[in-house]
Amino acid sequence: MNQSTIQLIIKNNLGQNIVGILEIKSSKNTLGEKLGIICHGIIGHKDYLFQAKLAKELPFDNFRFDFRGNGKSDGILKFSNFQEDVEDINTVVKYLENEYGYKLYTLIGHSKGSCAVLKYACHISRNIPHVINISARYYMPAVLSRFDKPVFDSLNEQGYFYWEYKIRDEIARMKVTKEDLDNFINYDMSFVRTMPETTSVLTCHGIADEVVPVKDAAFYANLIPNHTLKLIPGANHNYNRKHKELIEIINKYFSNEFQSMKFNEKYLYINGVPRYILIDGVKNFRDLGGYQCNLGKREENKIQKFIRERFIFRGGSLSSITDDGIVTLRKLNIQKIFDLRSNPEIDKFGVKNIEGMVRVHAPVFKEDAFAPEALFERWGLYTKGVEGYSQAYMVILEEGKKAFYEIFKHILEYPTQPFIVHCTAGKDRTGVFAMLLLKLLGVNDEIISREYELTHVNTEIKDPKEIKMYVELTNNYYNENQIKEMFSARYEFMESLLRKFQNHYKSVDNYLLQCGFTTKEIENIKNNLMISNNIKNLIMYQNNNVIKSLL
């Protein structure tokens, strides 16, 4: 992995210089790449404690900086300037997005810096996939226990005291007024209960923390909707002699294995209703609903929007569906089936017409795309890893505009009629449609990529006999590893497509305009796809009957 380090000086809203270090992990263009922001605690700086080592070992680009008044940044060091810290985070994020094209992936904060990170994540109107909260204080009045009688005597007599501390082998002093202390102890962290469900929060806390009680971590675990708690035995507030363990925990959290597991646990059910539905004779069948939508500014009344469940389903071919499978489709009230396959596929694998359900043939590819030369060329992209898959999916987006128009038109005109979208495996063409649907409604890229990855379990081939069969079908043109790659659906494939999509089309709204919809029609499509959380809560009771009918 190539890695470079760049010092940046960024002006904040007051014209002050905010100094930080950008760690770039590869030589490729930063446009659309993931970005982590690392924030230090009170009287800290960008290289304090574990921050510099963490920045080196994170698997993605990151920026660590000095808050105003700290380290090499301009300004006066203050005790309770939480809002100023939030403003500095906003300043550096906007700069790095505008100048480098980054996509904010995570915010990582320690102690007071984590308080600012949590505030930013709860109140900014954007998708932030992850927040790492390291030893943040929750109950602010407890800070009073850190000060002895002379401090309070000074406050009563002079209205302030000086907090002496050692930093970079030098003794420094920070003036703390009575107003500063009052503002600190009255800072209410209960806002964390408004953290979006789409933001996954990891809280790390040392069991031997002598500054912030361990019970504060429990408050975060209980209040934040999407939360993971990790308590570290023997670790104090600064993680002395525990830096390596802390960094390992954070990197494990960001690992593909852990994130896949966490996603599956969280989204396996939608309000108690299973996402995966066993349709006998059909592979890879699941509900696309239940994900939280993030469109524009968050509502003051806290009404959240979600994709309607039991309305849109994705899956593989229905050609082999059994009578029992058809019974289950009827229980789901399926009204229409969109078949994205082309005629040569249908001729080879067949079609199942089901009474009471309208089948719409909406092929993504023209018939000449199935000529041997064209077919082998397209298949070849699926053997070239991340770059090949994203290229193949960009072709699907262009070739599939007419097919995808038909599906979105159904959503516009028949919002009460549940439907299925399928191709052959329910992986590539269907996966690209699912991406368009979720991204149209502001579902964050992390969730879109994880949703796509769910297909991997259902389409991956491991049986040596089956792999050999496909090798023989291609007259040994592709080897066994290439065949396995063709049938995979990895997180990185969709992640790469999303970057290409953003760079080329800018938004799904623009893509749908190219397909032929008007701006008003696109807004109506969005409205037809969403329900608010108050309605969502009401239908939870109805879902109990649906569960029973599917068991």
Side-chain angles (χ1 to χ4, degrees), residues 10-13 86-95:
I10 305 168
K11 296 284 187 184
N12 69 7
N13 57 323
V86 172
E87 290 167 2
D88 286 347
I89 293 172
N90 193 44
T91 294
V92 300
V93 168
K94 283 186 174 180
Y95 178 87

Side-chain angles (χ1 to χ4, degrees), residues 271-290:
N271 294 329
V273 173
R275 181 174 300 281
Y276 274 109
I277 303 157
L278 177 60
I279 307 293
D280 196 32
V282 181
K283 291 183 178 180
N284 199 25
F285 192 93
R286 61 185 183 270
D287 192 331
L288 275 174

Side-chain angles (χ1 to χ4, degrees), residues 8 112 226 441 508:
L8 298 178
K112 180 171 174 271
N226 186 0
L441 298 174
V508 180

